[in-house]
Amino acid sequence: MLKLSRLTDYAAVVMAQIARHPQVSHAAADLADAVQLPHPTVSKTLKMLVKAGLLESQRGVQGGYRLARPASHITAADIIAAIEGPVAMTECSQAEGECDLAATCGVADNWQRVSLAIRTLLESVTLAHLADTTPIKLPVQLPIQSISLASA
Amino acid sequence: MLKLSRLTDYAAVVMAQIARHPQVSHAAADLADAVQLPHPTVSKTLKMLVKAGLLESQRGVQGGYRLARPASHITAADIIAAIEGPVAMTECSQAEGECDLAATCGVADNWQRVSLAIRTLLESVTLAHLADTTPIKLPVQLPIQSISLASA
DNA sequence: TTATACAGGACTAAAATGGTACCCATTAAC
DNA sequence: GTTAATGGGTACCATTTTAGTCCTGTATAA
């Protein structure tokens, strides 16, 4: 499936919610209510997002969370990395030179290139795009297919 | 991490191995030896690939596996789908209209677009590319960033 | 000083994943 | 026709990952 984890999904939804009201501080409980997800889980997600530097938190009365930087400067890749770690399709496309099977594999290099392409794509999608209720226009069909994959 | 499962990784390696010698039939045991992975696991992977229609199998003495169609007509998306099911980043980008949270989500549409972009990318990478020991040239940096993500 | 709200970590339950084993079906070779 | 090689299918178990919860501590505004 090449699927995002559920927490990552939550993170995106919560981030989008915050992004739609960037001025105010959002308490974890309010956010959980707004997106209809269990409070503790949302809270956990928020903590991870803070740790990754995507959100800033304020303790105490009237505290809460807000974006650490403008939504247009937070990417889908950032959000995914905050919850799941860096975007990488295979073990070896992450930590280089760690794979015992490198000799017999013969695919690693190319997977890494594909991985990079996906990462680049995810870096080009910002939170501002995700939060926008009018769908982003992704004229991908043509441009992506036009990427030359010819070897050499 | 947005990672492929290990079995999918194996599948790609095994497929590439077969693609490099398309004429002969490959016994499961030989393939397992070649790629240095446990026999039963490789065997399991091969069965899935057959079921997905990417490989053809021949039973009996001198039997084995071979590609169901030319390597240039088998895509990375095919291989991933064979093991993990269709490429989709979120639950809802797969089965439409199934998500209870659609009302409060507000992100679904855009995730689906991103998902589609990734799928398209994976469909543009063929087994022939993966099996090629000389790395495929993926000049993604510019083209992908040039995809306009402006809304409307 | 107190109520509010985040921080951090430990813990548990559930699900997915990976790996193995077993027995059956088919087929080529003799 | 018998035999040995080889894939087909299923069931099972161990491990890991994921998700979710809870508890205790700390900061802060009123």
Side-chain angles (χ1 to χ4, degrees):
Chain A
M1 264 264 277
L2 201 72
K3 186 172 58 177
L4 297 176
S5 87
R6 217 187 300 185
L7 282 185
T8 308
D9 211 346
Y10 296 169
V13 174
V14 169
M15 288 292 282
Q17 179 68 23
I18 298 176
R20 287 195 202 95
H21 306 95
Q23 317 307 354
V24 300
S25 238
H26 300 261
D30 294 346
L31 287 169
D33 274 357
V35 300
Q36 285 294 303
L37 291 172
H39 296 212
T41 300
V42 168
S43 181
K44 186 181 189 176
T45 307
L46 288 165
K47 288 171 195 169
M48 288 193 260
L49 292 166
V50 169
K51 193 179 256 177
L54 304 186
L55 290 179
E56 283 173 352
S57 62
Q58 171 84 29
R59 292 186 179 189
V61 180
Q62 295 298 323
Y65 296 92
R66 58 181 64 203
L67 299 184
R69 53 180 190 269
S72 56
H73 288 69
I74 296 175
T75 71
D78 289 333
I79 297 173
I80 295 171
I83 310 294
E84 314 192 13
V87 173
M89 293 188 67
T90 58
E91 295 292 346
C92 59
S93 54
Q94 193 186 22
E96 307 183 27
E98 301 283 327
C99 179
D100 302 339
L101 304 171
T104 52
C105 174
V107 175
D109 280 348
N110 289 329
W111 265 143
Q112 287 190 21
R113 281 178 177 71
V114 174
S115 212
L116 176 61
I118 290 181
R119 183 156 55 237
T120 305
L121 171 60
L122 289 173
E123 281 166 358
S124 73
V125 178
T126 71
L127 177 56
H129 294 130
L130 290 178
D132 195 343
T133 46
T134 65
I136 53 177
K137 200 170 187 180
L138 259 180
V140 259
Q141 300 288 31
L142 289 177
I144 284 210
Q145 285 185 342
S146 76
I147 294 169
S148 157
L149 286 163
S151 47
Chain B
M1 265 263 278
L2 201 73
K3 186 171 58 176
L4 296 177
S5 88
R6 220 188 295 185
L7 283 185
T8 307
D9 211 347
Y10 297 168
V13 174
V14 168
M15 288 292 282
Q17 179 69 23
I18 297 176
R20 288 196 202 94
H21 305 94
Q23 316 308 353
V24 301
S25 238
H26 300 262
D30 294 345
L31 287 169
D33 274 357
V35 301
Q36 286 293 302
L37 292 171
H39 295 212
T41 301
V42 168
S43 181
K44 187 180 189 176
T45 306
L46 288 166
K47 288 171 196 169
M48 289 193 259
L49 292 167
V50 169
K51 194 178 257 179
L54 305 186
L55 291 179
E56 283 173 352
S57 62
Q58 171 83 28
R59 292 188 179 188
V61 181
Q62 295 298 323
Y65 296 91
R66 58 180 63 203
L67 299 183
R69 52 180 190 266
S72 57
H73 288 68
I74 295 175
T75 71
D78 289 334
I79 297 173
I80 294 171
I83 309 295
E84 314 192 12
V87 172
M89 294 189 68
T90 57
E91 296 291 346
C92 60
S93 53
Q94 193 186 22
E96 308 184 27
E98 299 284 328
C99 179
D100 302 338
L101 303 171
T104 52
C105 174
V107 175
D109 281 347
N110 289 328
W111 264 144
Q112 288 190 20
R113 281 178 176 71
V114 173
S115 212
L116 175 62
I118 290 181
R119 183 156 56 237
T120 305
L121 171 60
L122 290 173
E123 280 166 359
S124 72
V125 177
T126 72
L127 177 56
H129 294 130
L130 290 177
D132 195 343
T133 45
T134 65
I136 54 176
K137 200 169 186 180
L138 260 179
V140 257
Q141 301 287 32
L142 290 177
I144 285 212
Q145 285 185 341
S146 75
I147 294 171
S148 157
L149 286 164
S151 46

